Amino acid sequence: MNGLLELTLGIMTALGGFVDISELVFCLAAGARFGYQLLWVVLVGTIGIAVYGEMSGRIAAVLGKPVFTVVRERLGWNVAAMVLLAATLVNVLTCAAEVGGLAIILQVLGASRYQWMLLAAAGFLLVSVYLLPFRWIERVFGLLGLPLLVYVVAAVAMDPDWGAAARGLLPSAPLPDTPGWALYLYFGVGLLSSILMPYEIYFYSSGGIEEGWTVKDLLVNKLTAGVGFLLGGVLAMALIVVGALAFKPLGIVPEHLTSTLLGAAGPLARAGFAVALVGIFFAVGGAAVETALAAAYNVTQFFELPWGKRKKPAEVPLFTACWMAAIVLGFAIAASGVNPVQIVEYSVFFAVLVLPLTYWPVLRLADDRQAMGKHANAGIIRALGWAYLVLICVVAAAAVPLMVLTHNGQG
Amino acid sequence: MSIPSRALAVLLLSALGACQPPPPRQLLDREGLQLQLRSLASAAAEAGLMTQQLADRRLSGGFAWVEQQGLGEDAARAAAELARPAGVELRPAQREAMQLAASLQLELNQVAAARHDGSALGALEARFGALRTQAQRLERAL
């Protein structure tokens, strides 16, 4: 049990990054459109986020520096300011989508008016983040999001073709019965960028400092990043398999958060439906908390102001104001009536544009032997870091053309 | 402003531009009509799955209300896209597609209210199946 509690930072980061509202729907849609063919993208993305997550956690433990401090130091004030603007936009938009998602879940639980449930969701988040210490935020949203593992059970219960699923772990051309290359690449880019969303490492590295990580915690960092992000990857793959088995044969392309519940209820009946509902509530809630705190971490770290949930709110007034503002703005955006799933699909593609400018400084510092000493990147980690940076740049270049070509993924 | 900052700003503005819906004067073309028919077929199929699972008592009443509203909005959005001006050769198909969208919205509004009535759910499931088949047939004929 103690071991599991140690890993909750990684679990919460991964759940909030891998299975937030848009990823839940996007993975199901990827399976519904392309069967098992995009599983390899999740595998590639999972390795990438684990590598960069571990790097950012290592920098936090060895140097006590969170990611946005590194971004500012390495890129200079002007460029870092643009990254801050773009990252804050992504964080707030994603938070808005998650607040909308929570409201939808509350409606499913029996409440009628969406606007009131938005208020309830925002209130729940404000109170939770204000009252709970950081460690309890991780535990509540991390552990209570684990019921999402019901999708792994559902995927297995639906008796997939394991051979075909295994072949899906290797890149291949889209099959004749699928929508073709443009959409295949759109989904590939979308999956990869949503797995590599920068707020995950902003939150993870700042969380490591909140936890008081030092050089002694490097193994904890490795385990937390490894296990946490692996869990997220497995969940995303399970959702793709459920999409392939529950929706593809019927020609359904899911576009709603509620569609994900159909995927659990089919093979596992009312019990699956209920467990999935709990898991989705806390995973989506965790994503809202993660993005709100990431927004606050970024702003205060950029301006070198005091930050952290480990301090009393009065000691960190701007930090407190920032995460509260992110939730309130998120509520306001969601209350305007925009579809929450679409909000975050757009923000995923915006995030791709700032990914290289977030990951490049992390890689350069983690590689720097003068700064990191014996804890600098070596061997395979260095090679993977550079390989993923190139991949991220290619993905960033392809994102906007693919959005235009595919009419935002409609075909 | 440095060059990387300008480049990032241009990229962000391009991305914003790519998110815009088509202008109202843009004609509905064959590809657009097929896109909306696929969307209607998907919504009808999902509605059929929902009614089947409701009949099997796998879902809650709250879910039915929320899901029917979501699918109804999809059908309404498709109907709005279909209402754009179209060329003469597409108008028969356009008309049929709009009737299909309207029928789908009507049937969707019955689902949650019928969630305790097995025979009503069965009839709705059959109706959604028929609408899905009609949308697919229409799409293939274009």
Side-chain angles (χ1 to χ4, degrees), chain A residues 333-365:
Chain A
I333 292 169
S336 71
V338 186
N339 182 333
V341 173
Q342 281 192 335
I343 297 174
V344 77
E345 280 183 4
Y346 288 135
S347 76
V348 163
F349 277 80
F350 279 119
V352 165
L353 304 176
V354 298
L355 272 178
L357 295 174
T358 298
Y359 284 101
W360 158 255
V362 170
L363 178 61
R364 290 292 291 137
L365 183 54

Side-chain angles (χ1 to χ4, degrees), chain B residues 17-142:
Chain B
C19 295
Q20 300 304 308
R25 291 180 193 176
Q26 190 171 339
L27 283 182
L28 179 69
D29 58 14
R30 191 172 309 274
E31 195 194 331
L33 184 47
Q34 285 175 319
L35 195 65
Q36 299 314 319
L37 283 166
R38 276 198 293 271
S39 175
L40 288 170
S42 171
E46 190 168 337
L49 183 62
M50 172 178 54
T51 44
Q52 184 193 89
Q53 291 192 5
L54 272 172
D56 291 341
R57 301 271 185 266
R58 291 166 191 262
L59 306 169
S60 68
F63 173 89
W65 287 110
V66 178
E67 175 79 340
Q68 99 176 10
Q69 184 181 357
L71 293 175
E73 284 165 7
D74 290 347
R77 206 163 26 246
E81 289 293 319
L82 287 165
R84 282 191 275 140
V88 168
E89 71 285 1
L90 288 178
R91 281 193 209 142
Q94 179 191 31
R95 199 170 295 120
E96 192 178 344
M98 288 185 70
Q99 284 166 351
L100 200 161
S103 298
L104 182 57
Q105 286 179 74
L106 264 170
E107 304 295 349
L108 277 165
N109 286 339
Q110 316 305 318
V111 174
R115 66 189 183 279
H116 298 303
D117 185 342
S119 61
L121 286 173
L124 281 167
E125 190 186 341
R127 186 77 187 110
F128 288 130
L131 288 170
R132 175 193 164 203
T133 303
Q134 185 186 355
Q136 288 173 332
R137 176 188 52 74
L138 202 49
E139 190 208 338
R140 278 195 296 270
L142 284 171

